[in-house]
Amino acid sequence: MTDTQPTTTSGGTAADRGPSLENLLHETRAFPPSPEFAAQANAQASLYDEARADRLEFWARQARELVTWKTPFTQTLDWSEAPVAKWFADGTLNAAYNAVDRHVEAGHGDRVALYFEGEPGDTRTVTYADLQREVVRAANALAALGVGKGDRVVIYMPMLVESVVAMLACARLGAPHSVVFGGFSADALRSRIADAKATLVITADGGYRRGAPSALKPAVDEALSGAGASSVRHVLVVRRTGQDVEWTEGRDVWWHEAVEAADTFHEPVWVGAEHPLYILYTSGTTGKPKGILHTTGGYLTQTAYTHKNVFDLKPETDVYWCTADIGWVTGHSYVVYGPLVNGATQVLYEGTPDTPHRGRWWELVEKYKVSILYTAPTAIRTCMKWGEDVPAGFDLSSLRVLGSVGEPINPEAWMWYRRVIGGDRTPIVDTWWQTETGAIMISPLPGVTAAKPGSAQVPLPGVAADVVDDEARPVPDGGGGYLVLTEPWPSMLRGIWGDLERFKDTYWSRFPGLYFAGDGAKKDEDGDIWLLGRVDDVMNVSGHRLSTTEIESALVSHDIVAEAAVVGAADDTTGQAVVAFVILRGEHAERAGTPDGAHEVQQELRNHVAKEIGPIAKPRRILVVPELPKTRSGKIMRRLLRDVAENRTVGDATTLADSSVMELIAAGLSTNRSADD
Ligand code: WTA
């Protein structure tokens, strides 16, 4: 592949480049695909024409070609009960069969499915035939523990081969899984188990993190000891670290014992296309996480389609690596279902990027000859900080496509990614999507699109998106507004578990008939889409979604807190950082008046949030204030607090009920400044 020189598209000069939005939108660099890449690419420009000509027939073709059906479908989309869609509804299939068995039946049993690399350096190579054996036995083990079609299973695991096997075993039984990120606390785990009414929890004794075993089982024990999780009958425990675990006889079962005892034959449970595949909890604008529901046929179709075309996957030759944890949607769609349905060979890494050294990722790219890498802007910015001599120490010439997901990628990080990691050679795909969309929606196609650093650019063939104003009118090129999806898509969420009203209200009420994504966006002069971050009370910290309200309720659940307001403040590395403003009760306010006291209070509250939600939700800064800025209707004006958190001049405060509040806060801050982290 040859080096491609940037060409100029619309307006502006190189000197305009800077961090501001206006400059972003005059980004002049564009990287068209090299002729060599374009010639071999899975996706050609004709895909857009085909989808435009007949969108539904386009999706039907993808569903027939990429997925194996037990009973073929005859209907493509039923939108009569909008906004709950039915795709390919009369077809039947099994997700695990599609991800595993059919590749073995096609003669690819010897192809490597997973190169597992543990953090301590232990490795395991799992072929598709191995994976089939493991999934079959795990499915039988789960069935022996009473799991049947429709039962919910919570998976709370590190990144292990068994985590993938557990998800697929559930899918094989038609039992929806709900993976809870291993970094969440016992309380967060409990509320998800309770909401899903799960009957089984699959976990591990622990996993390796930053060079040491980190226990997981105690959080499960704690979650199950409280009220609310009484639906659970068994806990299946993978032995990973060998650390001591508490054992509840009759309830707890070792994974290896159950699997070894299990039968080696299992007929997949064939389910209708709209059978639930999984529930994944994500933060919304209230304190209660939403259980996003995905079903089978449409989800597999779109994850496979996007994985094939956006990453240009060649299953015979590529080695693919997505660094996401299976606890997030990216791990579901682009570690488990998309790649495995496509028969990909991939790397699965347990640990952190800097253990035992900061070159660990690049060492793995070199070792496994990774050709497609999919990661998050936060990780890229962290590597930028560590310096380019770290990746320079490794041979990264196997890379041919780089992907980004989770938050807007700033042009500087994009350019660094391309130059330092991609050797100025690889296309970059900046992929916009959400837990709710299930699969990538807006992204360049690597063999077709001239990529612009910082823009997700265009809806994929088959996807319909737009940017609208307050009145739901599409904005002209050059204008800004809200990102919406204007037509249903196969991998769309089918609802919020147990709460149809909230589903309608959250996504479909703002602009009737349109899906409201909650993201601000602009269209540049070429009509390309630039994402600008959330417009609601959701933060994006290191690509992880956190709700301001959820952290506020965690803070006020502590005895000493009277009121709390949380904002996401811009952060160079993590995108946003959590900043909390708290009003303390009575004597505690005085205690926080001294630097030592304030420090103590902050530690107490940060630990409390970690306990309630998880360490990822810990506020970076906690500021003790005497008042919070509120409108006359009592709504906290987070915009003003964000100004304070980002050290800006405070904006228009005229709608405040009490206009002196901001002065009070400013005065208060000057006395407790030394208490900041
Ligand atoms: C943000 C992760 C800009 C966005 C797959 C969205 C992005 C939220 C991008 C969903 C991107 C994701 N550019 N912003 N390429 N990708 N986002 O549900 O705000 O964890 O609404 O899904 O992340 O986060 P979620």
PDB file of all heavy atoms in Angstrom, residues 176-190:
ATOM      1  N   PRO A 176     -31.053 -14.968  27.434  1.00  0.00           N
ATOM      2  CA  PRO A 176     -30.386 -13.674  27.276  1.00  0.00           C
ATOM      3  C   PRO A 176     -29.338 -13.437  28.366  1.00  0.00           C
ATOM      4  O   PRO A 176     -29.610 -13.676  29.545  1.00  0.00           O
ATOM      5  CB  PRO A 176     -31.511 -12.644  27.422  1.00  0.00           C
ATOM      6  CG  PRO A 176     -32.787 -13.393  27.424  1.00  0.00           C
ATOM      7  CD  PRO A 176     -32.503 -14.849  27.614  1.00  0.00           C
ATOM      8  N   HIS A 177     -28.149 -13.007  27.951  1.00  0.00           N
ATOM      9  CA  HIS A 177     -27.145 -12.679  28.960  1.00  0.00           C
ATOM     10  C   HIS A 177     -27.188 -11.196  29.257  1.00  0.00           C
ATOM     11  O   HIS A 177     -27.637 -10.390  28.440  1.00  0.00           O
ATOM     12  CB  HIS A 177     -25.741 -13.104  28.536  1.00  0.00           C
ATOM     13  CG  HIS A 177     -25.288 -12.644  27.181  1.00  0.00           C
ATOM     14  ND1 HIS A 177     -24.996 -11.333  26.917  1.00  0.00           N
ATOM     15  CD2 HIS A 177     -25.071 -13.339  26.027  1.00  0.00           C
ATOM     16  CE1 HIS A 177     -24.604 -11.233  25.652  1.00  0.00           C
ATOM     17  NE2 HIS A 177     -24.651 -12.431  25.078  1.00  0.00           N
ATOM     18  N   SER A 178     -26.715 -10.868  30.451  1.00  0.00           N
ATOM     19  CA  SER A 178     -26.535  -9.473  30.792  1.00  0.00           C
ATOM     20  C   SER A 178     -25.148  -9.359  31.401  1.00  0.00           C
ATOM     21  O   SER A 178     -24.915  -9.781  32.535  1.00  0.00           O
ATOM     22  CB  SER A 178     -27.610  -9.018  31.779  1.00  0.00           C
ATOM     23  OG  SER A 178     -27.447  -7.639  32.008  1.00  0.00           O
ATOM     24  N   VAL A 179     -24.223  -8.848  30.616  1.00  0.00           N
ATOM     25  CA  VAL A 179     -22.852  -8.733  31.098  1.00  0.00           C
ATOM     26  C   VAL A 179     -22.746  -7.446  31.906  1.00  0.00           C
ATOM     27  O   VAL A 179     -23.180  -6.382  31.464  1.00  0.00           O
ATOM     28  CB  VAL A 179     -21.840  -8.711  29.930  1.00  0.00           C
ATOM     29  CG1 VAL A 179     -20.415  -8.631  30.472  1.00  0.00           C
ATOM     30  CG2 VAL A 179     -22.002  -9.940  29.040  1.00  0.00           C
ATOM     31  N   VAL A 180     -22.186  -7.565  33.105  1.00  0.00           N
ATOM     32  CA  VAL A 180     -21.955  -6.392  33.940  1.00  0.00           C
ATOM     33  C   VAL A 180     -20.444  -6.187  34.007  1.00  0.00           C
ATOM     34  O   VAL A 180     -19.703  -7.111  34.367  1.00  0.00           O
ATOM     35  CB  VAL A 180     -22.555  -6.595  35.357  1.00  0.00           C
ATOM     36  CG1 VAL A 180     -22.233  -5.406  36.252  1.00  0.00           C
ATOM     37  CG2 VAL A 180     -24.062  -6.817  35.266  1.00  0.00           C
ATOM     38  N   PHE A 181     -19.999  -5.017  33.635  1.00  0.00           N
ATOM     39  CA  PHE A 181     -18.569  -4.693  33.609  1.00  0.00           C
ATOM     40  C   PHE A 181     -17.923  -5.044  34.950  1.00  0.00           C
ATOM     41  O   PHE A 181     -18.456  -4.689  36.017  1.00  0.00           O
ATOM     42  CB  PHE A 181     -18.414  -3.203  33.294  1.00  0.00           C
ATOM     43  CG  PHE A 181     -17.001  -2.697  33.363  1.00  0.00           C
ATOM     44  CD1 PHE A 181     -15.997  -3.275  32.602  1.00  0.00           C
ATOM     45  CD2 PHE A 181     -16.680  -1.620  34.178  1.00  0.00           C
ATOM     46  CE1 PHE A 181     -14.702  -2.801  32.661  1.00  0.00           C
ATOM     47  CE2 PHE A 181     -15.383  -1.135  34.245  1.00  0.00           C
ATOM     48  CZ  PHE A 181     -14.390  -1.732  33.485  1.00  0.00           C
ATOM     49  N   GLY A 182     -16.785  -5.749  34.903  1.00  0.00           N
ATOM     50  CA  GLY A 182     -16.111  -6.210  36.109  1.00  0.00           C
ATOM     51  C   GLY A 182     -15.643  -5.084  37.022  1.00  0.00           C
ATOM     52  O   GLY A 182     -15.315  -5.315  38.184  1.00  0.00           O
ATOM     53  N   GLY A 183     -15.631  -3.850  36.522  1.00  0.00           N
ATOM     54  CA  GLY A 183     -15.228  -2.713  37.350  1.00  0.00           C
ATOM     55  C   GLY A 183     -16.382  -2.122  38.140  1.00  0.00           C
ATOM     56  O   GLY A 183     -16.178  -1.209  38.936  1.00  0.00           O
ATOM     57  N   PHE A 184     -17.593  -2.628  37.923  1.00  0.00           N
ATOM     58  CA  PHE A 184     -18.723  -2.109  38.698  1.00  0.00           C
ATOM     59  C   PHE A 184     -18.745  -2.713  40.094  1.00  0.00           C
ATOM     60  O   PHE A 184     -18.273  -3.824  40.318  1.00  0.00           O
ATOM     61  CB  PHE A 184     -20.044  -2.392  37.975  1.00  0.00           C
ATOM     62  CG  PHE A 184     -20.380  -1.381  36.909  1.00  0.00           C
ATOM     63  CD1 PHE A 184     -20.714  -1.789  35.627  1.00  0.00           C
ATOM     64  CD2 PHE A 184     -20.363  -0.022  37.184  1.00  0.00           C
ATOM     65  CE1 PHE A 184     -21.020  -0.862  34.634  1.00  0.00           C
ATOM     66  CE2 PHE A 184     -20.673   0.912  36.211  1.00  0.00           C
ATOM     67  CZ  PHE A 184     -20.995   0.491  34.927  1.00  0.00           C
ATOM     68  N   SER A 185     -19.346  -1.958  41.004  1.00  0.00           N
ATOM     69  CA  SER A 185     -19.373  -2.368  42.409  1.00  0.00           C
ATOM     70  C   SER A 185     -20.442  -3.423  42.670  1.00  0.00           C
ATOM     71  O   SER A 185     -21.296  -3.694  41.819  1.00  0.00           O
ATOM     72  CB  SER A 185     -19.687  -1.147  43.265  1.00  0.00           C
ATOM     73  OG  SER A 185     -21.028  -0.746  43.012  1.00  0.00           O
ATOM     74  N   ALA A 186     -20.400  -3.979  43.878  1.00  0.00           N
ATOM     75  CA  ALA A 186     -21.398  -4.964  44.299  1.00  0.00           C
ATOM     76  C   ALA A 186     -22.806  -4.372  44.230  1.00  0.00           C
ATOM     77  O   ALA A 186     -23.756  -5.043  43.806  1.00  0.00           O
ATOM     78  CB  ALA A 186     -21.089  -5.439  45.720  1.00  0.00           C
ATOM     79  N   ASP A 187     -22.939  -3.107  44.617  1.00  0.00           N
ATOM     80  CA  ASP A 187     -24.270  -2.484  44.588  1.00  0.00           C
ATOM     81  C   ASP A 187     -24.795  -2.374  43.161  1.00  0.00           C
ATOM     82  O   ASP A 187     -25.962  -2.636  42.891  1.00  0.00           O
ATOM     83  CB  ASP A 187     -24.224  -1.080  45.214  1.00  0.00           C
ATOM     84  CG  ASP A 187     -24.079  -1.157  46.728  1.00  0.00           C
ATOM     85  OD1 ASP A 187     -24.347  -2.244  47.279  1.00  0.00           O
ATOM     86  OD2 ASP A 187     -23.695  -0.147  47.340  1.00  0.00           O
ATOM     87  N   ALA A 188     -23.914  -1.938  42.267  1.00  0.00           N
ATOM     88  CA  ALA A 188     -24.320  -1.805  40.860  1.00  0.00           C
ATOM     89  C   ALA A 188     -24.681  -3.179  40.293  1.00  0.00           C
ATOM     90  O   ALA A 188     -25.638  -3.327  39.538  1.00  0.00           O
ATOM     91  CB  ALA A 188     -23.198  -1.169  40.049  1.00  0.00           C
ATOM     92  N   LEU A 189     -23.905  -4.181  40.684  1.00  0.00           N
ATOM     93  CA  LEU A 189     -24.177  -5.550  40.226  1.00  0.00           C
ATOM     94  C   LEU A 189     -25.543  -6.014  40.742  1.00  0.00           C
ATOM     95  O   LEU A 189     -26.359  -6.557  39.998  1.00  0.00           O
ATOM     96  CB  LEU A 189     -23.057  -6.470  40.720  1.00  0.00           C
ATOM     97  CG  LEU A 189     -23.193  -7.963  40.440  1.00  0.00           C
ATOM     98  CD1 LEU A 189     -23.219  -8.236  38.936  1.00  0.00           C
ATOM     99  CD2 LEU A 189     -22.027  -8.750  41.078  1.00  0.00           C
ATOM    100  N   ARG A 190     -25.789  -5.755  42.022  1.00  0.00           N
ATOM    101  CA  ARG A 190     -27.043  -6.191  42.631  1.00  0.00           C
ATOM    102  C   ARG A 190     -28.247  -5.582  41.911  1.00  0.00           C
ATOM    103  O   ARG A 190     -29.215  -6.272  41.590  1.00  0.00           O
ATOM    104  CB  ARG A 190     -27.093  -5.820  44.104  1.00  0.00           C
ATOM    105  CG  ARG A 190     -28.390  -6.288  44.777  1.00  0.00           C
ATOM    106  CD  ARG A 190     -28.560  -5.703  46.178  1.00  0.00           C
ATOM    107  NE  ARG A 190     -27.477  -6.113  47.050  1.00  0.00           N
ATOM    108  CZ  ARG A 190     -26.684  -5.261  47.691  1.00  0.00           C
ATOM    109  NH1 ARG A 190     -26.846  -3.961  47.553  1.00  0.00           N
ATOM    110  NH2 ARG A 190     -25.726  -5.710  48.466  1.00  0.00           N
TER     111      ARG A 190
END
